Amino acid sequence: MKRWRRRYYDFFSYFYDQIIALHSRDRSALLRRFLLEKTGVRKGTYLLDLCTGTGAVALTAARFVSENGLIIGVDFSEGMLKRAQRKARSLGHPRLFWILAHVGELPLASHTFDVVTCSHAMYELDPPSREATLREIKRVLKPGGVFGMMEHCEPQNPFIRLLYYLRLLSFGSRENRSFARDERPYLKRYFSSVERILSPSGNSKLLLAHA
Ligand SMILES: C[S@@+](CC[C@H](N)C(=O)[O-])C[C@H]1O[C@@H](n2cnc3c(N)ncnc32)[C@H](O)[C@@H]1O
């Protein structure tokens, strides 16, 4: 299943940015800024962006985080990371790195990061991978660090909502649906406090969890 999804994203990497731009226009840029602002990303932050894809969140963060901070984007699709790497060249940030890995097995030292982010990807993980990933997030965060997870809210339009649930079911477990409805009980198993904030548009939700 994981290998199939990785190949799917390798293929999708050729169109990913164009499709997101068509779908959301500048809303996704606003959402990324909202995520970074709420997680408190600043100059010296050590930030880890999971399921970074073509690097949308990590590249936006590179505009705020200075050379004494650190930004790492992790993804298991080589295709997506190649796109991210290409886009990063023009920024020339000296402490922005990409790691090819499964997010449930992070090749990173414990208690390293102030902030871990994951945008529009946690709900895709199968339940064992999601649990492993939450454990890894807790492990690599410094005490008092923040995990910020951005997801779509349930669409209001009945047809789009049907497509949304079909997509969730395609990930292979009904539990993905209950996770997407309310992530808080899952996050509370690992984090001391969890809060849910709606994005200004009301179409996305940000889960903020403290280690
Ligand atoms: C919908 S994209 C989101 C990309 C990016 N976060 C954004 O907001 O544009 C999901 C990403 O998660 C990655 N992914 C899915 N499962 C993964 C896993 N188990 N380990 C690492 N990356 C994974 C995919 O390769 C893909 O790039």
Side-chain angles (χ1 to χ4, degrees), residues 2 5-6 9-10 12 16-17 20 32 49-57 74-78 80-81 101-104 118-121 123-126 129 133 167:
K2 262 185 222 135
R5 290 209 65 76
R6 206 162 51 221
Y9 274 112
D10 281 342
F12 199 27
Y16 185 79
D17 285 342
I20 296 295
R32 292 193 290 271
D49 183 43
L50 298 181
C51 297
T52 194
T54 59
V57 172
V74 174
D75 204 284
F76 69 0
S77 158
E78 216 175 329
M80 296 295 256
L81 285 188
H102 169 38
V103 289
C118 185
S119 146
H120 299 103
Y123 73 117
E124 294 193 11
L125 303 178
D126 58 79
S129 297
T133 304
R167 183 161 153 75

Side-chain angles (χ1 to χ4, degrees), residues 28 34-35 59 63 75 80 100 103 137 143 161 178 191 199:
S28 59
F34 176 71
L35 168 62
L59 294 166
R63 300 180 193 279
D75 204 284
M80 296 295 256
L100 184 67
V103 289
I137 294 169
R161 190 159 62 229
S178 83
F191 299 96
S199 68

Side-chain angles (χ1 to χ4, degrees), residues 110-123:
S110 302
H111 311 308
T112 302
F113 296 92
D114 304 293
V115 176
V116 175
T117 51
C118 185
S119 146
H120 299 103
M122 274 308 266
Y123 73 117

